[in-house]
Amino acid sequence: MDKNTFTGLFLIMAIIAGSIYFLKPSEAELKKERLVQHQDSVKKGLFNKTGAQAATKFDTTKAPVKTVADSATLKTPFGAASVGVDKLVTIENQELVVKLSTKGGKVASVELKNFKTFDKKPLILFSGDKDHFGLNFNAAGKNINTDEYYFTPSAGDLKVAEKDSASITLRLSYNATQYIDYVYSLKGTGFKLGLTIKPVGLDGIIANNSSLNLNWAASLHKQEKDMKQERQYSTVYYYNTENTVDWLAETKDDQKEIADKKMNWVSFKQHFFSSTLVAQNGISKSNFAVVTDVADTADVKQMKADLTLARSTDGSVPLEFYFSPNRYSTLKDQGHDLQKLVYLGFSPLKYINQFAVLPLFNFLNQFNWNYGLIILILTIALKLVLSPLTYKSYLSMAKMRVLKPEMDEIKAKVGEDNPTLLQQEYLKLYKKAGVNPLGGCLPLLIQMPIVIAFFKFFPSLFELRGQSFLWMHDLSTYDSVIKFAPIMGVDHISLMCLLMTVSTLIYTYFNNQISGATGQMKYIGYITPLIFLFTLNSYPAGLNYYYFLANMLTFTQQYLIKFMVDDKKIHAQIQENKKKPEDPKKKKSGFQARMEEMMKAQQQAKK
């Protein structure tokens, strides 16, 4: 690998890394932009100033409040249901505690019993007056939103045993024989809450009998240590019947209406937990929105979905809720391709993670080892698989190092004033010596997709959440060994990121010794690690730990390969290659052919 090629690669890496860090807006600028977007969303009517549609206050800490209505209201459609008692009914199994509200008949809050927030509090996905779930329809000339009416529960609190199942019905009455039932069902285990919406005797009352319009909105509570990172991985996901998953923007307010494709499910996805609604008959029309209220330190984002639901032949609408962790295996077991909520990178990176990295990780995970040890073994396995490429890269750099004195002689003879002629002479030397100048770079470039795949894999890995190793209390977020007042948006130093940077600098130093780098090329490799020190400082400790291990193992591999490669033998082989007569029938490599064509074009342009 010659100087220009090596320098070019490092320049590209440095430019990319520098652009990511130095051109990104500050946290203050991001907050200002989010506030502008939030206000714009308010103007568009996607959300009100609190981040959701206007609704009656709902506070789970207060005693039930009974509303009253005048006689005129009682005579309107569903008028009797406009008054009632606002109370909660709890339905619980081994995994979930679901509170149903008689106001709107909706899921008022969901607690995942076997998980805690980062500060060890009960993990409640959503609750409060920003959450809404209601049918919109016209009844006898009046617009009805069921979220504003009172339902009557068929039973009190239920706790479902492990092998049992139970259901509870909340009824919105038009009269004694005409009503809408919300039938909630729950098994003793699992993250699924069934919901079947059953309008009874209302065919002549509700317009458009073939479908129902549903408005669902929720403000998702903060669960993780780093609000910035949690918001970065939280948005609305949706999955259509063509088996394609898509999502709204994660870094800004966004809204999208879809009428040309039928949806299967929609999910309010947080970094490590999701609230997903599956429509078994499909969703014919959808309107999604996500908003970030930068002034809200308790909630991550507000999400909204307006859905047109297809009805069964009996008029019912079968639905399923999944309130679950974003663990790939858990979501896959639920069906409906819910595992696609876990982002494993774009093609082909997702295939590397899905069919290589994830199966190996799951295999190691069954031994119940500490995740620090699992990452170590995963890294060793990866390095063993890639060791032939590492050897080839080292051997190619050794050949270039041995060839360098002859290249210096050519440079002294030709001079630097004629770079085209200099490159031509270099190519002749490479050809005679049987050396590929890109031989040291190509193996590294082949490994690059795997490096990037891990960059996507670790931040999405639920298994690392709350797992400690050495001084790192949580491998899914950064380890802050030093905290200080914010400087350019940075308020801490991650020790593992610092160790990763030091290991990269050490690796670069020894790599320069192997390649024989001199001058500008010798120092340019130190720029990228320093830039990534700031870029990866807030990334998960598990990711930085992997990069640290990868650097140290690569260094160890090269140290061992050094004893297998003899510079004297390489030099002798190069001299033998130079003595061989050139075979006119031998096909030139693509690199050589392109370089010669480029140089001929440059010479022609000069003439």
Side-chain angles (χ1 to χ4, degrees):
M1 180 166 54
D2 65 1
K3 175 181 177 179
N4 291 334
T5 304
F6 199 79
T7 304
L9 283 172
F10 271 117
L11 278 173
I12 291 171
M13 292 175 66
I15 289 171
I16 293 173
S19 299
I20 292 173
Y21 181 73
F22 291 110
L23 297 182
K24 71 177 182 179
S26 65
E27 185 64 23
E29 292 172 330
L30 287 172
K31 285 185 178 181
K32 183 178 180 181
E33 177 62 22
R34 291 192 195 107
L35 185 59
V36 171
Q37 293 170 354
H38 180 68
Q39 292 172 343
D40 184 56
S41 298
V42 172
K43 291 178 181 179
K44 291 178 181 179
L46 300 178
F47 291 87
N48 65 18
K49 292 182 180 180
T50 64
Q53 294 176 322
T56 305
K57 296 283 184 179
F58 181 79
D59 189 343
T60 61
T61 63
K62 294 180 180 179
V65 178
K66 185 173 182 178
T67 58
V68 294
D70 55 31
S71 57
T73 302
L74 293 175
K75 294 178 182 179
T76 62
F78 295 96
S82 63
V83 296
V85 178
D86 184 1
K87 63 179 182 179
L88 299 176
V89 178
T90 300
I91 183 168
E92 177 182 355
N93 69 359
Q94 286 193 349
E95 278 74 36
L96 303 174
V97 177
V98 180
K99 292 186 181 297
L100 306 174
S101 172
T102 56
K103 177 69 178 295
K106 59 178 179 287
V107 176
S109 72
V110 176
E111 177 187 346
L112 273 66
K113 295 169 61 175
N114 300 322
F115 302 96
K116 300 293 181 183
T117 64
F118 75 99
D119 52 358
K120 309 304 179 184
K121 295 180 180 179
L123 197 149
I124 299 174
L125 297 180
F126 56 83
S127 64
D129 60 354
K130 294 180 182 179
D131 308 320
H132 307 281
F133 187 89
L135 299 175
N136 275 327
F137 55 85
N138 186 281
K142 181 181 179 182
N143 291 326
I144 302 295
N145 185 339
T146 60
D147 194 49
E148 301 172 357
Y149 290 80
Y150 291 87
F151 288 62
T152 303
S154 62
D157 296 348
L158 294 175
K159 188 168 184 178
V160 188
E162 181 178 354
K163 296 181 180 180
D164 294 337
S165 62
S167 64
I168 184 171
T169 300
L170 278 78
R171 176 169 295 180
L172 174 63
S173 296
Y174 186 79
N175 56 41
T177 58
Q178 295 174 299
Y179 48 84
I180 297 175
D181 278 349
Y182 285 3
V183 182
Y184 291 95
S185 58
L186 188 67
K187 293 183 178 180
T189 59
F191 301 97
K192 182 179 80 171
L193 175 69
L195 168 60
T196 302
I197 300 175
K198 294 182 176 180
V200 176
L202 296 174
D203 291 346
I205 305 298
I206 299 178
N208 187 11
N209 292 324
S210 64
S211 62
L212 286 176
N213 295 322
L214 174 68
N215 303 128
W216 182 30
S219 187
L220 306 181
H221 298 332
K222 181 177 183 288
Q223 314 292 353
E224 312 304 328
K225 172 183 176 180
D226 187 359
M227 173 70 90
K228 181 180 177 182
Q229 184 186 45
E230 191 171 7
R231 281 175 171 164
Q232 181 181 342
Y233 291 97
S234 301
T235 190
V236 176
Y237 271 61
Y238 46 93
Y239 182 74
N240 61 39
T241 53
E242 298 175 359
N243 302 327
T244 301
V245 67
D246 204 351
W247 54 90
L248 300 185
E250 295 172 315
T251 58
K252 63 179 181 180
D253 290 358
D254 197 11
Q255 182 267 340
K256 189 171 185 178
E257 183 174 356
I258 302 173
D260 60 337
K261 290 185 179 180
K262 193 174 182 180
M263 294 296 138
N264 179 256
W265 51 256
V266 56
S267 181
F268 294 168
K269 176 184 177 289
Q270 288 181 255
H271 190 181
F272 288 125
F273 298 93
S274 292
S275 302
T276 305
L277 180 64
V278 178
Q280 296 182 21
N281 293 338
I283 304 167
S284 58
K285 189 176 181 181
S286 314
N287 192 344
F288 308 117
V290 59
V291 168
T292 304
D293 184 356
V294 294
D296 191 345
T297 59
D299 290 346
V300 177
K301 289 183 178 180
Q302 294 83 45
M303 302 182 187
K304 177 184 175 185
D306 294 337
L307 312 172
T308 300
L309 305 173
R311 300 173 67 178
S312 301
T313 53
D314 63 355
S316 65
V317 179
L319 305 171
E320 292 177 347
F321 280 109
Y322 288 91
F323 304 111
S324 61
N326 295 333
R327 186 192 290 116
Y328 190 91
S329 58
T330 300
L331 291 171
K332 189 175 182 180
D333 290 341
Q334 310 303 316
H336 306 288
D337 279 345
L338 291 182
Q339 73 274 10
K340 292 186 177 182
L341 283 167
V342 181
Y343 183 65
L344 296 176
F346 52 86
S347 300
L349 303 183
K350 67 179 179 181
Y351 299 114
I352 296 174
N353 284 327
Q354 184 176 350
F355 298 112
V357 180
L358 194 58
L360 179 57
F361 180 86
N362 289 336
F363 171 76
L364 296 173
N365 195 25
Q366 68 181 348
F367 296 105
N368 295 319
W369 294 334
N370 182 278
Y371 283 98
L373 180 60
I374 290 177
I375 294 173
L376 171 61
I377 297 174
L378 185 69
T379 310
I380 292 174
L382 178 65
K383 285 299 176 182
L384 288 175
V385 171
L386 297 176
S387 56
L389 292 176
T390 305
Y391 176 79
K392 188 174 182 179
S393 176
Y394 183 98
L395 186 61
S396 181
M397 288 190 289
K399 289 179 180 179
M400 293 297 295
R401 183 178 67 249
V402 171
L403 207 59
K404 190 175 184 305
E406 296 183 48
M407 295 175 64
D408 291 339
E409 290 180 8
I410 294 174
K411 185 176 180 181
K413 186 184 297 183
V414 176
E416 298 186 28
D417 297 335
N418 193 342
T420 303
L421 179 59
L422 181 62
Q423 289 298 326
Q424 283 181 331
E425 294 299 320
Y426 281 165
L427 284 176
K428 291 178 183 179
L429 177 62
Y430 298 150
K431 190 175 182 181
K432 288 181 180 180
V435 174
N436 183 355
L438 293 180
C441 296
L442 289 177
L444 297 176
L445 291 176
I446 293 173
Q447 297 180 53
M448 192 59 67
I450 299 176
V451 174
I452 300 175
F454 272 85
F455 184 79
K456 295 296 183 182
F457 177 73
F458 281 104
S460 299
L461 194 59
F462 177 86
E463 284 81 351
L464 297 184
R465 182 181 185 271
Q467 299 297 321
S468 62
F469 180 65
L470 300 177
W471 67 88
M472 297 169 284
H473 299 298
D474 188 346
L475 289 170
S476 70
T477 187
Y478 60 83
D479 56 310
S480 52
V481 293
I482 300 176
K483 296 281 290 184
F484 47 82
I487 302 174
M488 297 179 63
V490 179
D491 63 354
H492 69 275
I493 293 178
S494 167
L495 178 56
M496 185 49 72
C497 183
L498 189 61
L499 290 175
M500 182 274 297
T501 303
V502 172
S503 68
T504 307
L505 292 172
I506 294 173
Y507 167 74
T508 303
Y509 171 79
F510 283 100
N511 202 57
N512 285 342
Q513 306 303 309
I514 296 171
S515 63
T518 58
Q520 183 183 13
M521 184 177 64
K522 184 177 180 180
Y523 299 103
I524 197 169
Y526 297 109
I527 298 176
T528 303
L530 294 175
I531 293 176
F532 275 109
L533 170 63
F534 298 98
T535 306
L536 298 177
N537 187 53
S538 294
Y539 273 75
L543 177 66
N544 283 315
Y545 173 56
Y546 159 72
Y547 285 145
F548 168 76
L549 292 175
N551 286 337
M552 300 309 296
L553 290 172
T554 302
F555 169 72
T556 303
Q557 281 182 320
Q558 291 185 344
Y559 181 77
L560 295 175
I561 292 172
K562 183 178 180 181
F563 294 102
M564 303 166 58
V565 176
D566 189 338
D567 284 9
K568 292 181 179 180
K569 289 183 179 180
I570 293 175
H571 184 267
Q573 183 62 51
I574 287 176
Q575 299 310 313
E576 286 294 323
N577 292 341
K578 290 168 66 177
K579 292 177 183 179
K580 294 177 182 179
E582 184 176 348
D583 185 359
K585 296 182 181 180
K586 186 177 180 181
K587 187 178 180 180
K588 296 178 181 178
S589 68
F591 171 75
Q592 289 177 328
R594 285 191 294 271
M595 287 295 293
E596 289 183 6
E597 289 177 5
M598 183 180 69
M599 291 175 185
K600 287 178 182 178
Q602 289 177 345
Q603 288 179 335
Q604 188 65 32
K606 287 183 179 180
K607 290 179 181 180

